[in-house]
Amino acid sequence: MRRRLVASGLAAACALALTACGTSDPAADRGGEEGETRTVEHAMGTTEVPVDPQRVVVLDTDKIDTALSLGITPIGAARTSEAELPTYLGDLSGVTVVGTSAEPDLEAIEQLKPDLILGSKFRQEEFYDELDAIAPTVFTELVGLTWKENFLLDGEALGRGDTARSCWTGTRRGPRNWASRSARPCPPR
């Protein structure tokens, strides 16, 4: 009887130890799924993102602008309130709507299997942990006045940091409506 108790106790201790070795860190759980990654510092800390993300979900219109300006068509995008995706960006019929900027549809995002999610702390902070569990997530701090910094950070997360920085060479106007022009990435100087 005593041997059974000792054996049961050891088995329980081993099971507990193995459970403690597990991880609940989404970035660690993703492990080697993504291939080669790099670290991006952003409003919520640091995130390992794919070197060349292919399946990007964006949660605000400035992120749609940035992605398209840099030659990337997102697979999913959030709308502002109940409005449709911006028409000035051209045909976005291939982009899946994933809720609104204020309330992203987490299930719809997860179904798209993104390899990168772009958003802002200002609008989506409460969803960050859930989004980061779906895919590497990079947030800018604010929206509006920080558009230049947002463009550069999002460009970095998209693996197009050099291209984003070169868009600023010789211009003061910035990327306003660049995505609607045929010259991508970024307009000619």
Side-chain angles (χ1 to χ4, degrees):
M1 179 73 157
R2 184 178 170 149
R3 282 187 179 165
R4 282 189 176 157
L5 284 174
V6 170
S8 295
L10 284 174
C14 286
L16 183 61
L18 288 174
T19 302
C21 291
T23 179
S24 62
D25 177 12
D29 289 345
R30 286 190 289 267
E33 290 175 19
E34 302 139 350
E36 193 176 350
T37 63
R38 60 199 158 65
T39 303
V40 174
E41 291 184 37
H42 59 99
M44 301 300 285
T46 58
T47 298
E48 290 295 315
V49 301
V51 169
D52 185 26
Q54 300 294 306
R55 301 184 55 78
V56 180
V57 168
V58 296
L59 301 178
D60 216 331
T61 53
D62 69 319
K63 277 89 178 79
I64 299 171
D65 288 340
T66 298
L68 292 172
S69 294
L70 297 175
I72 296 172
T73 301
I75 59 167
R79 302 175 303 188
T80 57
S81 65
E82 295 304 314
E84 291 303 314
L85 295 175
T87 57
Y88 69 87
L89 295 173
D91 180 17
L92 296 177
S93 59
V95 178
T96 302
V97 173
V98 292
T100 65
S101 295
E103 279 192 52
D105 182 340
L106 300 174
E107 287 181 23
I109 293 169
E110 188 169 21
Q111 288 176 357
L112 291 174
K113 299 182 182 345
D115 58 4
L116 178 64
I117 300 170
L118 298 178
S120 73
K121 183 177 177 181
F122 178 76
R123 294 200 204 279
Q124 295 101 19
E125 181 176 17
E126 68 184 283
F127 301 102
Y128 180 80
D129 290 336
E130 292 167 285
L131 291 164
D132 195 51
I134 295 169
T137 302
V138 173
F139 275 7
T140 54
E141 185 74 35
L142 300 170
V143 296
L145 294 176
T146 58
W147 60 272
K148 179 180 179 183
E149 292 84 2
N150 294 356
F151 179 78
L152 295 173
L153 176 61
D154 291 340
E156 189 65 35
L158 292 165
R160 308 281 171 95
D162 290 340
T163 304
R165 282 185 294 282
S166 74
C167 289
W168 295 99
T169 305
T171 182
R172 293 181 184 193
R173 291 179 45 214
R176 182 175 214 127
N177 294 328
W178 283 354
S180 64
R181 299 181 187 164
S182 59
R184 292 183 190 154
C186 302
R189 292 186 196 138

